[in-house]
Amino acid sequence: MSSAASHPAATPEGAHPFPHGHLTGIDGLQPWEIAFLLDEAEQWVALNRAATKHDDRLAGLTQINAFFENSTRTLLSFEIAGKRLGADVVNMHAAQSSVKKGETLLDTAITLNAMRPDIIVMRHGSSGAVQLIADKVDCPVLNAGDGWHEHPTQALLDALTIRRRKGAIAKQRVAICGDILHSRVARSNILALTALGAEVRVVAPPTLMPPAVERLGVTAFTDFDAGLDGCDVVMMLRLQTERMKSGLVPSAREYFALYGLTRERLEKAAPDALVMHPGPMNRGIEIASDIADDLDRSAITEQVEMGVAVRMACLDVLTRKGRGVEGWV
Ligand code: NCD
């Protein structure tokens, strides 16, 4: 008999699998709720590999993708996810919106809400902005990345990629490497992977290491080789220069010499270590091209594939209550 204590990813008897109105972060989710979303995503991986990729469970619903910050893969992924589920998907780019005319975030929220969307997917440059909107509108809100705070669907797609490639997440030794300080991807991944029982390490230069990061249940390394030792998964992060004050990194060349993932360095990790990167990649700065493109080692394109499936699962689950699905009202 499995118990919640020995299997943190098993839903305890009588518990609702996902009792949340929004997905603003991994923070606050129980391990079994994270595992539930991953399980739900599996059916969409299968559908997305079929010749005809369509399900109409969101037919008649309006999905607004409100992106106040640049995005290529996340926006496209949410758009494809919504369309494959039959939703009417509308993209709002801040550059073309009234935000540029000085409208406040709350006024934008009120405006979007008045159009009666059934779900809002939002990306914003400020940490906490997505929660602010979630508190003001009548429909579910999904965080597609807010400032340095969280990027929950990225962590879910990374977890799904690891689970499929390695068979499990519990006990995997995962090194998240690079610009941890500015990374919402790192934060959401730390929360999700530790919740699911992985041994998580963070590797960064001292200037890019968040203070007291150990409080999140990870081990911190400033020496890349030591941090990689025996790792099953090596997750590289982009140097997020747009969020940096100057002087945190001496030069791109020096950064690559100390913290860039090369084939030689990867030998410190487990022989079958999986290489991951959320994209966009800076080739030759945090990762060498031959590693990024090595299909035996790199799961980078698989991460993108899993992203669509995970987002379909989140869109489906969050709209169940509104659609009156039994057990979700
Ligand atoms: C990440 C993001 O926007 O936080 N990218 C993504 O969503 N795939 C990481 C990054 O920008 O480096």
Side-chain angles (χ1 to χ4, degrees):
M1 184 77 188
S2 66
S3 74
S6 58
H7 293 284
T11 308
E13 228 172 275
H16 192 284
F18 198 82
H20 307 278
H22 307 286
L23 181 64
T24 53
I26 299 295
D27 196 18
L29 298 187
Q30 299 294 338
W32 60 84
E33 294 165 0
I34 300 169
F36 171 72
L37 293 176
L38 303 186
D39 293 343
E40 286 287 316
E42 290 286 356
Q43 65 188 299
W44 304 123
V45 177
L47 182 90
N48 292 339
R49 288 180 178 179
T52 307
K53 304 164 183 60
H54 199 71
D55 183 283
D56 62 1
R57 68 186 60 197
L58 300 197
L61 301 196
T62 304
Q63 171 188 335
I64 300 182
N65 295 329
F67 276 57
F68 296 83
E69 209 187 54
N70 290 342
S71 170
T72 310
R73 76 206 70 220
T74 307
L75 177 59
L76 200 58
S77 182
F78 269 112
E79 183 172 359
I80 290 173
K83 286 185 171 161
R84 287 195 180 154
L85 293 176
D88 297 315
V89 184
V90 186
N91 293 333
M92 190 198 103
H93 301 279
Q96 297 145 17
S97 75
S98 292
V99 174
K100 287 275 178 249
K101 300 180 184 169
E103 186 173 74
T104 66
L105 190 55
L106 285 184
D107 283 334
T108 304
I110 292 163
T111 305
L112 293 180
N113 196 47
M115 296 183 193
R116 306 185 69 86
D118 299 286
I119 188 154
I120 295 174
V121 178
M122 188 173 153
R123 168 169 285 199
H124 200 282
S126 302
S127 306
V130 176
Q131 186 63 54
L132 201 77
I133 297 281
D135 292 340
K136 291 288 166 205
V137 298
D138 299 315
C139 68
V141 174
L142 228 160
N143 184 359
D146 64 327
W148 304 10
H149 177 228
E150 281 230 41
H151 191 355
T153 56
Q154 180 69 44
L156 292 169
L157 75 89
D158 290 336
L160 185 62
T161 305
I162 295 172
R163 196 174 80 167
R164 289 173 61 95
R165 279 283 192 115
K166 297 283 179 187
I169 291 169
K171 307 239 168 14
Q172 298 292 326
R173 183 180 286 180
V174 183
I176 305 178
C177 312
D179 185 0
I180 308 286
L181 181 66
H182 300 100
S183 177
R184 54 196 176 202
V185 174
R187 192 178 153 73
S188 290
N189 260 299
I190 290 169
L191 292 166
L193 295 173
T194 55
L196 296 174
E199 178 200 325
V200 180
R201 299 171 163 198
V202 291
V203 185
T207 49
L208 297 177
M209 185 74 84
V213 69
E214 291 89 351
R215 275 201 299 228
L216 294 173
V218 300
T219 316
F221 292 81
T222 50
D223 183 294
F224 196 11
D225 291 335
L228 285 181
D229 186 44
C231 283
D232 303 299
V233 177
V234 180
M235 189 183 289
M236 301 307 298
L237 298 173
R238 185 174 65 89
L239 261 189
Q240 297 177 64
T241 43
E242 77 278 17
R243 299 207 171 95
M244 273 182 206
K245 292 194 228 92
S246 61
L248 290 181
V249 176
S251 72
R253 210 166 70 181
E254 194 167 341
Y255 185 82
F256 185 67
L258 288 171
Y259 293 99
L261 188 67
T262 57
R263 193 169 292 281
E264 202 182 1
R265 242 199 189 113
L266 189 57
E267 278 171 18
K268 306 272 188 259
D272 59 347
L274 195 63
V275 174
M276 300 175 74
H277 193 304
M281 271 186 282
N282 289 313
R283 290 169 183 265
I285 295 183
E286 70 259 359
I287 190 165
S289 264
D290 66 320
I291 292 291
D293 298 334
D294 181 343
L295 294 179
D296 292 332
R297 308 306 302 270
S298 159
I300 296 171
T301 51
E302 204 172 314
Q303 288 172 268
V304 178
E305 182 189 3
M306 294 307 128
V308 178
V310 149
R311 289 168 180 131
M312 289 168 83
C314 293
L315 292 169
D316 170 28
V317 167
L318 286 171
T319 55
R320 283 185 190 173
K321 189 172 173 195
R323 288 185 282 131
V325 175
E326 211 188 318
W328 294 78
V329 185

